[in-house]
Every structure is written in structure tokens, then in C-alpha cells.
Amino acid sequence: MDPFERIWDRPRLRVGIMGGTFDPIHIGHLVTADEALHQFGLDDILFMPTGTGPHKQPQVTSAELRYLMVSVAIASHPRFWVSRYEIDRPGIDYTADTLAGLRGVMRDDAELFFITGADAVLDILKWKEPERLLSLCTLIAATRPGYDLGRLSSVLSGLTHLDRVVVMEIPGLAVSSSMIRQRVAAGKGCRYLVLEGVRQLIEKSGVYCDPSPAAP
Ligand code: ATP
Ligand code: MG
């Protein structure tokens, strides 16, 4: 059972879902989630590491190690949770299917917010069933250095649920998981770019030392 399940039954729950490969989870993810919590008055954030992601196979690190790194990174935050939903589900994970699955176990008065960075939201038309996705949640698009949300309205122009996409300004952090993998492979380390427990797990497991499996 996900620990998060114990709050499913709360009335009028406003929950943010932060999806990602988290290979590894870094401060950009954490700042984005925390900003969403405050800016949108959310009750909780559920981190949802991908299992067999549609875009990144087969290069990603094992789901178990990614899940462990997320668990360590969020442990001290009272309103951050992690879910095994996509990891434990066989097959490919599509966000709309995940949100529909979550809706199935939540109360009808719960509100879902799916949190993405600017890069991901600009690719929305490549997602499976974007209209269905927007019928299931509000999509929060966080600013991210290097990605221009100025073209978001033209990207969204064909969709009917335009009002379900909202932009969130956050303190810009030009950090990415690929950059961290490259730094670790090059022996530069990742202190302060990830939480200390995650850095220790990276060091202890030796993940990313060989650049071939997880290179971008
Ligand atoms: P990779 O380099 O492997 O693609 P990543 O840093 O982009 O990794 P993901 O796991 O792909 O991390 O991203 C999960 C979500 O977090 C995506 O919606 C992504 O846009 C967002 N995100 C990641 N890093 C940042 C950041 N620095 N600022 C804002 N959003 C971010
Ligand atoms: Mg990414």
C-alpha cells in the first residue's frame, strides 16, 4: 500500500501529481513541487516515478533505485509522498491512464493537478490523448531555464480545454537529471544539486559511474 493512500478519503483534497523519470530526483523537481504546493494551495504532492516510460526506455536506471532516491529525497517533507502506481503497473505508462486510475480511487470532490516543467508541457501534443488528460486535471506548467513558454498558447491552440493549463513562475534552476548523470560519470559529483541522502545513494550504488546505461 502506498502511504499516501491513507489521505485519499479526505474531503475536497487538492493533490498535485509530479510525474517524472527522476533519474535522479534533483532540487529542480523539489523546488517545482514545493512552489506548486504553495502557489495553488495544494494539500499534498504525490511523486510518481515512471515504470516503463514511453519515451525513455531502455536507458533508464532501475525503477527500484529511482523509487528509493525519490523516497529519500521527500522523506522529511510533511506533504510530499511517493507512489509505486506506475512502477508496479505492467506495460507503458501514459499520464492520462495514470490520472484516470487515480480518479478511480479518489473521492469525487478531489481535484487533481499535474505538474510539469516547461519542456514537458511544450510537448503536450505528443502525449497520448492530451484532451482526455486535460479533462482529468489542471496542468501546471512550471518555468524552466532554457525553455520558452511564450509559444505555449500556439502549441495549445488546437485543444479544447485550454483553460486547464496554467503557467507557474518558479525560481529558475538550470539543473537536469541528464546533467547530473554526466557530472557523476565525469567524476564531478553532484553535491547540492541533489539532496544529501540522494547523493550518498548515488555514490554508494555506483549508479551513473558508467555513462553508457543512463546517458541522455
Ligand atoms: P532528464 O534530463 O533525464 O530528462 P529531468 O531533469 O528533465 O531529467 P525528468 O524526470 O525528465 O527530469 O522530469 C520530471 C518533470 O520535472 C518534468 O515535467 C520536467 O519538465 C520537470 N523538471 C525537471 N527539472 C526541472 C527544473 N530544473 N525546473 C523545472 N521543472 C523541471
Ligand atoms: Mg526531462
Side-chain angles (χ1 to χ4, degrees), residues 98-132:
T98 297
L99 294 179
L102 292 180
R103 277 243 157 266
V105 294
M106 297 171 85
R107 289 169 50 115
D108 289 346
D109 62 2
E111 257 194 90
L112 283 179
F113 297 78
F114 191 77
I115 306 161
T116 69
D119 56 314
V121 79
L122 288 169
D123 277 344
I124 190 169
L125 295 179
K126 294 188 204 151
W127 297 19
K128 190 186 165 218
E129 304 178 281
E131 298 278 12
R132 178 168 163 244

mmCIF file of all heavy atoms in Angstrom, residues 98-132:
data_model
loop_
_atom_site.group_PDB
_atom_site.id
_atom_site.type_symbol
_atom_site.label_atom_id
_atom_site.label_comp_id
_atom_site.label_asym_id
_atom_site.label_seq_id
_atom_site.Cartn_x
_atom_site.Cartn_y
_atom_site.Cartn_z
ATOM 1 N N THR A 98 -2.809 7.035 -15.964
ATOM 2 C CA THR A 98 -2.475 7.121 -14.539
ATOM 3 C C THR A 98 -3.483 8.009 -13.807
ATOM 4 O O THR A 98 -3.994 7.642 -12.744
ATOM 5 C CB THR A 98 -1.059 7.702 -14.357
ATOM 6 O OG1 THR A 98 -0.139 6.801 -14.957
ATOM 7 C CG2 THR A 98 -0.705 7.896 -12.894
ATOM 8 N N LEU A 99 -3.786 9.169 -14.395
ATOM 9 C CA LEU A 99 -4.721 10.086 -13.732
ATOM 10 C C LEU A 99 -6.116 9.462 -13.642
ATOM 11 O O LEU A 99 -6.792 9.595 -12.622
ATOM 12 C CB LEU A 99 -4.768 11.427 -14.476
ATOM 13 C CG LEU A 99 -3.460 12.234 -14.440
ATOM 14 C CD1 LEU A 99 -3.611 13.524 -15.235
ATOM 15 C CD2 LEU A 99 -3.037 12.561 -13.009
ATOM 16 N N ALA A 100 -6.520 8.760 -14.698
ATOM 17 C CA ALA A 100 -7.826 8.099 -14.657
ATOM 18 C C ALA A 100 -7.837 7.032 -13.565
ATOM 19 O O ALA A 100 -8.821 6.883 -12.829
ATOM 20 C CB ALA A 100 -8.145 7.481 -16.015
ATOM 21 N N GLY A 101 -6.728 6.307 -13.422
ATOM 22 C CA GLY A 101 -6.627 5.294 -12.378
ATOM 23 C C GLY A 101 -6.710 5.913 -10.989
ATOM 24 O O GLY A 101 -7.396 5.399 -10.097
ATOM 25 N N LEU A 102 -6.035 7.053 -10.812
ATOM 26 C CA LEU A 102 -6.081 7.734 -9.509
ATOM 27 C C LEU A 102 -7.496 8.236 -9.232
ATOM 28 O O LEU A 102 -8.002 8.120 -8.117
ATOM 29 C CB LEU A 102 -5.109 8.911 -9.478
ATOM 30 C CG LEU A 102 -3.613 8.561 -9.502
ATOM 31 C CD1 LEU A 102 -2.779 9.832 -9.476
ATOM 32 C CD2 LEU A 102 -3.248 7.670 -8.332
ATOM 33 N N ARG A 103 -8.122 8.795 -10.251
ATOM 34 C CA ARG A 103 -9.505 9.271 -10.092
ATOM 35 C C ARG A 103 -10.405 8.148 -9.587
ATOM 36 O O ARG A 103 -11.298 8.380 -8.786
ATOM 37 C CB ARG A 103 -10.065 9.754 -11.436
ATOM 38 C CG ARG A 103 -9.688 11.145 -11.770
ATOM 39 C CD ARG A 103 -10.952 12.034 -11.862
ATOM 40 N NE ARG A 103 -10.627 13.431 -11.655
ATOM 41 C CZ ARG A 103 -10.691 14.051 -10.480
ATOM 42 N NH1 ARG A 103 -11.096 13.410 -9.412
ATOM 43 N NH2 ARG A 103 -10.361 15.302 -10.361
ATOM 44 N N GLY A 104 -10.127 6.946 -10.063
ATOM 45 C CA GLY A 104 -10.947 5.800 -9.671
ATOM 46 C C GLY A 104 -10.884 5.476 -8.189
ATOM 47 O O GLY A 104 -11.810 4.869 -7.650
ATOM 48 N N VAL A 105 -9.803 5.871 -7.511
ATOM 49 C CA VAL A 105 -9.707 5.550 -6.082
ATOM 50 C C VAL A 105 -9.921 6.782 -5.198
ATOM 51 O O VAL A 105 -9.924 6.687 -3.984
ATOM 52 C CB VAL A 105 -8.336 4.911 -5.727
ATOM 53 C CG1 VAL A 105 -8.182 3.557 -6.387
ATOM 54 C CG2 VAL A 105 -7.171 5.817 -6.066
ATOM 55 N N MET A 106 -10.089 7.950 -5.822
ATOM 56 C CA MET A 106 -10.258 9.162 -5.025
ATOM 57 C C MET A 106 -11.737 9.522 -4.902
ATOM 58 O O MET A 106 -12.551 9.078 -5.695
ATOM 59 C CB MET A 106 -9.524 10.329 -5.705
ATOM 60 C CG MET A 106 -8.048 10.095 -5.777
ATOM 61 S SD MET A 106 -7.236 11.329 -6.781
ATOM 62 C CE MET A 106 -7.014 12.598 -5.584
ATOM 63 N N ARG A 107 -12.021 10.358 -3.929
ATOM 64 C CA ARG A 107 -13.400 10.851 -3.803
ATOM 65 C C ARG A 107 -13.740 11.732 -5.003
ATOM 66 O O ARG A 107 -12.858 12.327 -5.613
ATOM 67 C CB ARG A 107 -13.514 11.710 -2.531
ATOM 68 C CG ARG A 107 -13.438 10.944 -1.231
ATOM 69 C CD ARG A 107 -13.281 11.907 -0.066
ATOM 70 N NE ARG A 107 -14.267 12.984 -0.087
ATOM 71 C CZ ARG A 107 -15.217 13.171 0.836
ATOM 72 N NH1 ARG A 107 -15.279 12.361 1.874
ATOM 73 N NH2 ARG A 107 -16.052 14.177 0.754
ATOM 74 N N ASP A 108 -15.011 11.862 -5.298
ATOM 75 C CA ASP A 108 -15.434 12.657 -6.461
ATOM 76 C C ASP A 108 -15.096 14.135 -6.298
ATOM 77 O O ASP A 108 -14.947 14.853 -7.281
ATOM 78 C CB ASP A 108 -16.954 12.522 -6.683
ATOM 79 C CG ASP A 108 -17.295 11.144 -7.198
ATOM 80 O OD1 ASP A 108 -16.363 10.425 -7.624
ATOM 81 O OD2 ASP A 108 -18.490 10.792 -7.163
ATOM 82 N N ASP A 109 -14.988 14.599 -5.036
ATOM 83 C CA ASP A 109 -14.728 16.028 -4.851
ATOM 84 C C ASP A 109 -13.229 16.353 -4.819
ATOM 85 O O ASP A 109 -12.841 17.490 -4.585
ATOM 86 C CB ASP A 109 -15.416 16.552 -3.580
ATOM 87 C CG ASP A 109 -14.898 15.865 -2.312
ATOM 88 O OD1 ASP A 109 -13.984 15.019 -2.410
ATOM 89 O OD2 ASP A 109 -15.417 16.189 -1.220
ATOM 90 N N ALA A 110 -12.381 15.363 -5.082
ATOM 91 C CA ALA A 110 -10.931 15.624 -5.114
ATOM 92 C C ALA A 110 -10.563 16.334 -6.421
ATOM 93 O O ALA A 110 -11.190 16.098 -7.455
ATOM 94 C CB ALA A 110 -10.166 14.311 -5.014
ATOM 95 N N GLU A 111 -9.548 17.215 -6.341
ATOM 96 C CA GLU A 111 -9.065 17.902 -7.546
ATOM 97 C C GLU A 111 -7.639 17.494 -7.820
ATOM 98 O O GLU A 111 -6.802 17.495 -6.898
ATOM 99 C CB GLU A 111 -9.112 19.413 -7.326
ATOM 100 C CG GLU A 111 -10.280 20.083 -8.005
ATOM 101 C CD GLU A 111 -10.080 21.588 -8.048
ATOM 102 O OE1 GLU A 111 -9.496 22.078 -9.020
ATOM 103 O OE2 GLU A 111 -10.489 22.240 -7.065
ATOM 104 N N LEU A 112 -7.352 17.181 -9.083
ATOM 105 C CA LEU A 112 -6.009 16.745 -9.464
ATOM 106 C C LEU A 112 -5.291 17.849 -10.234
ATOM 107 O O LEU A 112 -5.874 18.471 -11.121
ATOM 108 C CB LEU A 112 -6.087 15.514 -10.365
ATOM 109 C CG LEU A 112 -6.368 14.163 -9.729
ATOM 110 C CD1 LEU A 112 -6.422 13.087 -10.805
ATOM 111 C CD2 LEU A 112 -5.275 13.824 -8.730
ATOM 112 N N PHE A 113 -4.029 18.048 -9.898
ATOM 113 C CA PHE A 113 -3.167 18.997 -10.621
ATOM 114 C C PHE A 113 -1.945 18.231 -11.080
ATOM 115 O O PHE A 113 -1.240 17.655 -10.239
ATOM 116 C CB PHE A 113 -2.733 20.148 -9.696
ATOM 117 C CG PHE A 113 -3.887 20.976 -9.205
ATOM 118 C CD1 PHE A 113 -4.704 20.519 -8.172
ATOM 119 C CD2 PHE A 113 -4.161 22.205 -9.769
ATOM 120 C CE1 PHE A 113 -5.780 21.269 -7.725
ATOM 121 C CE2 PHE A 113 -5.232 22.971 -9.332
ATOM 122 C CZ PHE A 113 -6.046 22.498 -8.311
ATOM 123 N N PHE A 114 -1.698 18.191 -12.377
ATOM 124 C CA PHE A 114 -0.500 17.503 -12.856
ATOM 125 C C PHE A 114 0.575 18.559 -13.105
ATOM 126 O O PHE A 114 0.362 19.535 -13.815
ATOM 127 C CB PHE A 114 -0.788 16.698 -14.129
ATOM 128 C CG PHE A 114 0.341 15.790 -14.493
ATOM 129 C CD1 PHE A 114 0.537 14.597 -13.797
ATOM 130 C CD2 PHE A 114 1.246 16.133 -15.489
ATOM 131 C CE1 PHE A 114 1.607 13.760 -14.101
ATOM 132 C CE2 PHE A 114 2.310 15.304 -15.804
ATOM 133 C CZ PHE A 114 2.492 14.110 -15.105
ATOM 134 N N ILE A 115 1.729 18.370 -12.471
ATOM 135 C CA ILE A 115 2.783 19.382 -12.507
ATOM 136 C C ILE A 115 3.870 18.956 -13.497
ATOM 137 O O ILE A 115 4.395 17.838 -13.408
ATOM 138 C CB ILE A 115 3.396 19.543 -11.096
ATOM 139 C CG1 ILE A 115 2.292 19.836 -10.071
ATOM 140 C CG2 ILE A 115 4.470 20.619 -11.089
ATOM 141 C CD1 ILE A 115 2.711 19.552 -8.628
ATOM 142 N N THR A 116 4.188 19.849 -14.420
ATOM 143 C CA THR A 116 5.262 19.548 -15.380
ATOM 144 C C THR A 116 6.178 20.752 -15.502
ATOM 145 O O THR A 116 5.796 21.874 -15.162
ATOM 146 C CB THR A 116 4.729 19.298 -16.807
ATOM 147 O OG1 THR A 116 4.246 20.538 -17.326
ATOM 148 C CG2 THR A 116 3.644 18.276 -16.856
ATOM 149 N N GLY A 117 7.354 20.540 -16.054
ATOM 150 C CA GLY A 117 8.235 21.643 -16.428
ATOM 151 C C GLY A 117 7.866 22.121 -17.827
ATOM 152 O O GLY A 117 7.121 21.463 -18.562
ATOM 153 N N ALA A 118 8.437 23.283 -18.192
ATOM 154 C CA ALA A 118 8.119 23.897 -19.486
ATOM 155 C C ALA A 118 8.436 22.970 -20.648
ATOM 156 O O ALA A 118 7.693 22.897 -21.623
ATOM 157 C CB ALA A 118 8.909 25.195 -19.620
ATOM 158 N N ASP A 119 9.535 22.236 -20.572
ATOM 159 C CA ASP A 119 9.918 21.348 -21.684
ATOM 160 C C ASP A 119 8.832 20.308 -21.930
ATOM 161 O O ASP A 119 8.427 20.052 -23.058
ATOM 162 C CB ASP A 119 11.255 20.661 -21.386
ATOM 163 C CG ASP A 119 11.249 19.896 -20.068
ATOM 164 O OD1 ASP A 119 10.776 20.449 -19.057
ATOM 165 O OD2 ASP A 119 11.707 18.737 -20.049
ATOM 166 N N ALA A 120 8.346 19.726 -20.849
ATOM 167 C CA ALA A 120 7.353 18.657 -20.987
ATOM 168 C C ALA A 120 6.030 19.205 -21.517
ATOM 169 O O ALA A 120 5.415 18.600 -22.397
ATOM 170 C CB ALA A 120 7.147 17.964 -19.645
ATOM 171 N N VAL A 121 5.608 20.357 -21.021
ATOM 172 C CA VAL A 121 4.296 20.850 -21.444
ATOM 173 C C VAL A 121 4.319 21.277 -22.914
ATOM 174 O O VAL A 121 3.326 21.149 -23.627
ATOM 175 C CB VAL A 121 3.778 21.962 -20.508
ATOM 176 C CG1 VAL A 121 4.412 23.297 -20.799
ATOM 177 C CG2 VAL A 121 2.261 22.070 -20.608
ATOM 178 N N LEU A 122 5.458 21.754 -23.382
ATOM 179 C CA LEU A 122 5.537 22.157 -24.795
ATOM 180 C C LEU A 122 5.424 20.947 -25.726
ATOM 181 O O LEU A 122 5.144 21.084 -26.909
ATOM 182 C CB LEU A 122 6.837 22.937 -25.058
ATOM 183 C CG LEU A 122 6.855 24.352 -24.452
ATOM 184 C CD1 LEU A 122 8.246 24.960 -24.523
ATOM 185 C CD2 LEU A 122 5.832 25.271 -25.111
ATOM 186 N N ASP A 123 5.622 19.769 -25.171
ATOM 187 C CA ASP A 123 5.485 18.527 -25.953
ATOM 188 C C ASP A 123 4.094 17.918 -25.825
ATOM 189 O O ASP A 123 3.872 16.773 -26.212
ATOM 190 C CB ASP A 123 6.492 17.472 -25.433
ATOM 191 C CG ASP A 123 7.862 17.681 -26.033
ATOM 192 O OD1 ASP A 123 7.954 18.404 -27.041
ATOM 193 O OD2 ASP A 123 8.828 17.116 -25.490
ATOM 194 N N ILE A 124 3.156 18.667 -25.266
ATOM 195 C CA ILE A 124 1.873 18.070 -24.872
ATOM 196 C C ILE A 124 1.154 17.375 -26.028
ATOM 197 O O ILE A 124 0.490 16.360 -25.826
ATOM 198 C CB ILE A 124 0.964 19.123 -24.193
ATOM 199 C CG1 ILE A 124 -0.253 18.442 -23.579
ATOM 200 C CG2 ILE A 124 0.555 20.224 -25.122
ATOM 201 C CD1 ILE A 124 -1.065 19.311 -22.667
ATOM 202 N N LEU A 125 1.322 17.916 -27.228
ATOM 203 C CA LEU A 125 0.593 17.302 -28.345
ATOM 204 C C LEU A 125 1.145 15.927 -28.699
ATOM 205 O O LEU A 125 0.493 15.140 -29.365
ATOM 206 C CB LEU A 125 0.607 18.223 -29.561
ATOM 207 C CG LEU A 125 -0.154 19.538 -29.344
ATOM 208 C CD1 LEU A 125 -0.074 20.429 -30.577
ATOM 209 C CD2 LEU A 125 -1.612 19.284 -28.974
ATOM 210 N N LYS A 126 2.360 15.640 -28.210
ATOM 211 C CA LYS A 126 2.928 14.307 -28.459
ATOM 212 C C LYS A 126 2.439 13.310 -27.406
ATOM 213 O O LYS A 126 2.676 12.123 -27.521
ATOM 214 C CB LYS A 126 4.459 14.365 -28.392
ATOM 215 C CG LYS A 126 5.101 15.180 -29.491
ATOM 216 C CD LYS A 126 6.615 15.001 -29.431
ATOM 217 C CE LYS A 126 7.328 16.182 -30.059
ATOM 218 N NZ LYS A 126 8.635 16.434 -29.484
ATOM 219 N N TRP A 127 1.791 13.815 -26.360
ATOM 220 C CA TRP A 127 1.314 12.921 -25.314
ATOM 221 C C TRP A 127 0.120 12.144 -25.842
ATOM 222 O O TRP A 127 -0.601 12.610 -26.729
ATOM 223 C CB TRP A 127 0.878 13.705 -24.072
ATOM 224 C CG TRP A 127 1.964 14.480 -23.397
ATOM 225 C CD1 TRP A 127 3.175 14.856 -23.924
ATOM 226 C CD2 TRP A 127 1.937 15.015 -22.070
ATOM 227 N NE1 TRP A 127 3.882 15.581 -23.005
ATOM 228 C CE2 TRP A 127 3.150 15.696 -21.872
ATOM 229 C CE3 TRP A 127 0.996 14.982 -21.049
ATOM 230 C CZ2 TRP A 127 3.455 16.339 -20.667
ATOM 231 C CZ3 TRP A 127 1.295 15.623 -19.853
ATOM 232 C CH2 TRP A 127 2.511 16.283 -19.665
ATOM 233 N N LYS A 128 -0.113 10.993 -25.254
ATOM 234 C CA LYS A 128 -1.294 10.235 -25.655
ATOM 235 C C LYS A 128 -2.536 10.939 -25.096
ATOM 236 O O LYS A 128 -2.571 11.293 -23.923
ATOM 237 C CB LYS A 128 -1.180 8.812 -25.083
ATOM 238 C CG LYS A 128 -2.220 7.859 -25.638
ATOM 239 C CD LYS A 128 -2.139 6.515 -24.927
ATOM 240 C CE LYS A 128 -3.363 5.673 -25.174
ATOM 241 N NZ LYS A 128 -3.767 4.913 -23.999
ATOM 242 N N GLU A 129 -3.495 11.167 -25.940
ATOM 243 C CA GLU A 129 -4.787 11.723 -25.541
ATOM 244 C C GLU A 129 -4.687 12.995 -24.688
ATOM 245 O O GLU A 129 -5.159 13.027 -23.549
ATOM 246 C CB GLU A 129 -5.603 10.685 -24.765
ATOM 247 C CG GLU A 129 -5.807 9.387 -25.532
ATOM 248 C CD GLU A 129 -6.575 8.373 -24.721
ATOM 249 O OE1 GLU A 129 -5.976 7.729 -23.834
ATOM 250 O OE2 GLU A 129 -7.779 8.239 -24.946
ATOM 251 N N PRO A 130 -4.103 14.075 -25.242
ATOM 252 C CA PRO A 130 -3.979 15.306 -24.439
ATOM 253 C C PRO A 130 -5.329 15.873 -23.982
ATOM 254 O O PRO A 130 -5.433 16.405 -22.876
ATOM 255 C CB PRO A 130 -3.250 16.277 -25.375
ATOM 256 C CG PRO A 130 -3.316 15.684 -26.736
ATOM 257 C CD PRO A 130 -3.483 14.219 -26.570
ATOM 258 N N GLU A 131 -6.352 15.734 -24.823
ATOM 259 C CA GLU A 131 -7.677 16.261 -24.425
ATOM 260 C C GLU A 131 -8.206 15.522 -23.193
ATOM 261 O O GLU A 131 -8.745 16.123 -22.276
ATOM 262 C CB GLU A 131 -8.708 16.067 -25.560
ATOM 263 C CG GLU A 131 -8.384 16.792 -26.829
ATOM 264 C CD GLU A 131 -8.817 18.256 -26.778
ATOM 265 O OE1 GLU A 131 -9.147 18.741 -25.680
ATOM 266 O OE2 GLU A 131 -8.790 18.902 -27.841
ATOM 267 N N ARG A 132 -8.034 14.212 -23.225
ATOM 268 C CA ARG A 132 -8.517 13.411 -22.089
ATOM 269 C C ARG A 132 -7.742 13.783 -20.830
ATOM 270 O O ARG A 132 -8.299 13.929 -19.739
ATOM 271 C CB ARG A 132 -8.350 11.926 -22.419
ATOM 272 C CG ARG A 132 -8.773 11.001 -21.298
ATOM 273 C CD ARG A 132 -8.849 9.563 -21.792
ATOM 274 N NE ARG A 132 -8.848 8.636 -20.690
ATOM 275 C CZ ARG A 132 -7.894 7.734 -20.456
ATOM 276 N NH1 ARG A 132 -6.863 7.636 -21.268
ATOM 277 N NH2 ARG A 132 -7.969 6.934 -19.416
#
